[in-house]
């Protein structure tokens, strides 16, 4: 198939409940979408998980837009007859994994039939409120990931008190100091699935025994295959949260999952407050994870999405159908 044209779109929607993390407060989510128009008369969409600023990752929406336009100017009119041909054309984006990931998402659909599937529901809660408690009661996720706050011990207890069985993970976003040793010791005995990115430096883990801190997961530090493998070999880390946009896309994540499991470590697939298109592919990869991943049902974060009913809740699990992007809701910018 020949690449005939490329279009770029933006979409922006407010969160139902503002997102509060140790690093940022978010009231809305702005995302970038690409549409590749091919010679088979079909259009294929990809969603970027970059943000407007570099609070989470170096690549911003503006960076992705610039890089993808430059890439398109080189490859417009080129023929892509396999994923191998796609991977070759994307080599120059190795230093721009968010851009590469968005393009891989679109190209993947050209060569793979998208399926219906079911995955566990893993909710992420950024600030436990009466509203989020009611949302959890109504949706009954199999796992709840709590963002670290000063009230983390009471937040954990509140989730434990929910009227259904649920696994608990905690995300500290590299915000902890050794002043939190008492809380970590309590949490180590509280049946926590894992503690994600407790410290800015992994060297701080050497101050703790395996019994004085919950099982540790890396997320922000899981920036490349080489870094992940080295960390698993050197530190007391047992879980890797893999985010496709940071690693460069679906193809690389599938390969990395096998590598991590061969080392005896566990895998979680991470989401980034995604809209329905990207959420489908996060869920698709989550089928190979060891624990419930960051997969939420339609309507969890936003009242309106670019994909209708992207993930229907069914008793603690989520059923996904192949996504159809509603272009009428997108704002074209290129």
């Amino acid at each position: 198939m020949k690449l005939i044209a490329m279009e770029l779109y933006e979409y922006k929607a407010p969160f139902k409940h503002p997102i509060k993390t140790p690093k940022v407060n978010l009231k809305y989510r702005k995302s970038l979408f690409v549409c590749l128009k091919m010679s088979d008369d079909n259009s294929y969409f990809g969603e970027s998980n970059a943000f407007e600023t570099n609070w989470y990752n170096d690549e911003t929406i503006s960076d992705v837009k610039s890089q993808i336009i430059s890439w398109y100017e080189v490859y417009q009119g080129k023929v892509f007859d396999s994923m191998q041909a796609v991977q070759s054309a994307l080599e120059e984006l190795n230093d721009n994994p968010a851009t590469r990931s968005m393009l891989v998402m679109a190209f993947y659909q050209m060569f793979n039939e998208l399926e219906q599937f079911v995955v566990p529901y893993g909710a992420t809660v950024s600030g436990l409120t009466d509203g989020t408690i009611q949302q959890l009661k109504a949706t009954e996720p199999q796992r709840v990931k709590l963002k670290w706050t000063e009230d983390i011990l009471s937040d954990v207890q509140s989730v434990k008190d929910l009227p259904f069985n649920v696994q608990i993970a905690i995300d500290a976003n590299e915000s902890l100091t050794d002043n939190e040793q008492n809380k970590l010791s309590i949490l180590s005995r509280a049946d926590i699935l894992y503690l994600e990115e407790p410290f800015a430096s992994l060297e701080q883990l050497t101050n703790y025994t395996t019994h004085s801190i919950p099982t540790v997961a890396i997320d922000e530090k899981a920036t490349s295959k080489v870094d992940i493998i080295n960390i698993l070999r050197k530190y007391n880390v047992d879980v890797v949260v893999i985010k496709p946009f940071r690693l460069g896309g679906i193809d690389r994540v599938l390969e990395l999952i096998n590598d991590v499991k061969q080392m005896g470590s566990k895998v979680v697939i991470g989401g980034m407050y995604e809209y329905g298109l990207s959420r489908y592919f996060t869920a698709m990869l989550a089928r190979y994870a060891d624990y419930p991943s960051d997969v939420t049902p339609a309507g969890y974060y936003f009242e309106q999405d670019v994909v209708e009913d992207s993930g229907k809740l069914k008793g603690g699990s989520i059923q996904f159908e192949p996504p159809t992007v509603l272009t009428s809701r997108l704002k074209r910018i290129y």
Side-chain angles (χ1 to χ4, degrees):
M1 289 179 284
K2 182 184 293 185
L3 176 56
I4 302 299
M6 182 188 80
E7 297 172 355
L8 294 177
Y9 297 87
E10 287 180 352
Y11 185 72
K12 177 179 173 180
F15 288 103
K16 284 183 173 180
H17 307 284
I19 303 299
K20 298 180 181 180
T21 80
K23 289 187 175 182
V24 72
N25 294 335
L26 299 173
K27 294 183 178 180
Y28 65 87
R29 177 60 153 128
K30 182 177 181 179
S31 288
L32 181 70
F33 292 79
V34 65
C35 173
L36 302 181
K37 294 182 175 292
M38 308 301 291
S39 57
D40 64 352
D41 293 327
N42 286 319
S43 297
Y44 302 92
F45 286 84
E47 177 182 340
S48 171
N49 294 146
F51 290 91
E52 291 178 273
T53 66
N54 64 351
W55 74 271
Y56 191 84
N57 196 61
D58 288 340
E59 261 180 290
T60 64
I61 289 175
S62 178
D63 295 329
V64 173
K65 177 183 175 182
S66 175
Q67 289 295 329
I68 204 167
I69 290 174
S70 297
W71 180 90
Y72 171 68
E73 289 173 349
V74 174
Y75 288 96
Q76 190 266 337
K78 301 293 185 181
V79 173
F80 296 93
D81 54 9
S82 67
M83 276 303 295
Q84 288 75 22
V86 171
Q87 290 167 325
S88 178
L90 297 180
E91 281 293 318
E92 63 196 66
L93 294 175
N94 285 340
D95 293 333
N96 304 95
T99 308
R100 186 186 188 278
S101 179
M102 182 167 64
L103 282 167
V104 168
M105 189 183 299
F107 276 114
Y108 182 90
Q109 299 167 68
M110 299 181 198
F111 305 105
N112 297 273
E113 184 176 352
L114 302 187
E115 302 173 333
Q116 178 191 91
F117 55 82
V118 175
V119 293
Y121 164 28
T124 298
V125 178
S126 302
L128 204 59
T129 64
D130 290 342
T132 54
I133 285 289
Q134 292 306 313
Q135 188 176 39
L136 294 174
K137 287 181 178 179
T139 56
E140 296 191 7
Q142 295 185 37
R143 183 222 70 190
V144 171
K145 181 190 291 185
L146 294 167
K147 295 291 185 177
W148 186 283
T149 70
E150 290 298 314
D151 301 318
I152 189 61
L153 296 181
S154 62
D155 286 351
V156 167
Q157 188 58 52
S158 294
V159 173
K160 285 180 174 290
D161 290 340
L162 289 170
F164 56 91
N165 292 325
V166 60
Q167 296 174 303
I168 299 175
I170 299 172
D171 185 3
N173 288 115
E174 301 181 323
S175 65
L176 304 189
T177 68
D178 286 335
N179 292 331
E180 308 288 358
Q181 284 185 351
N182 184 53
K183 288 181 180 178
L184 290 174
S185 179
I186 293 171
L187 291 170
S188 71
R189 302 188 298 273
D191 195 25
I192 300 300
L193 199 59
Y194 57 85
L195 172 62
E196 193 174 311
E197 290 289 0
F199 306 115
S201 170
L202 287 168
E203 291 297 330
Q204 287 178 264
L205 289 177
T206 60
N207 297 330
Y208 297 82
T209 67
T210 56
H211 302 295
S212 63
I213 190 171
T215 297
V216 173
I218 53 170
D219 176 5
E220 283 92 341
K221 298 177 183 64
T223 55
S224 70
K225 177 179 176 178
V226 171
D227 287 343
I228 291 168
I229 299 303
N230 287 340
I231 288 170
L232 293 179
R233 287 173 175 166
K234 186 175 180 180
Y235 296 100
N236 184 26
V237 171
D238 296 308
V239 181
V240 181
V241 180
I242 300 176
K243 291 185 173 172
F245 87 103
R246 186 189 281 134
L247 275 298
I250 297 164
D251 54 339
R252 290 184 173 172
V253 170
L254 289 170
E255 177 183 327
L256 181 58
I257 287 172
N258 291 329
D259 293 335
V260 170
K261 290 189 175 186
Q262 286 178 6
M263 295 185 68
S265 298
K266 305 296 186 182
V267 168
V268 173
I269 303 299
M272 287 306 300
Y273 310 119
E274 304 151 298
Y275 292 111
L277 178 63
S278 181
R279 193 164 63 251
Y280 173 89
F281 289 100
T282 295
M284 183 187 77
L285 293 168
R287 292 182 297 171
Y288 308 103
D290 297 286
Y291 298 134
S293 296
D294 298 339
V295 183
T296 52
Y300 184 82
Y301 287 121
F302 313 103
E303 291 287 355
Q304 180 175 279
D305 206 320
V306 299
V307 176
E308 286 287 6
D309 298 325
S310 179
K312 294 182 179 179
L313 191 61
K314 292 182 178 291
S317 297
I318 308 176
Q319 179 177 306
F320 281 87
E321 305 283 347
T324 299
V325 175
L326 302 174
T327 54
S328 61
R329 295 181 178 176
L330 300 176
K331 176 185 175 182
R332 186 172 175 182
I333 59 172
Y334 178 85

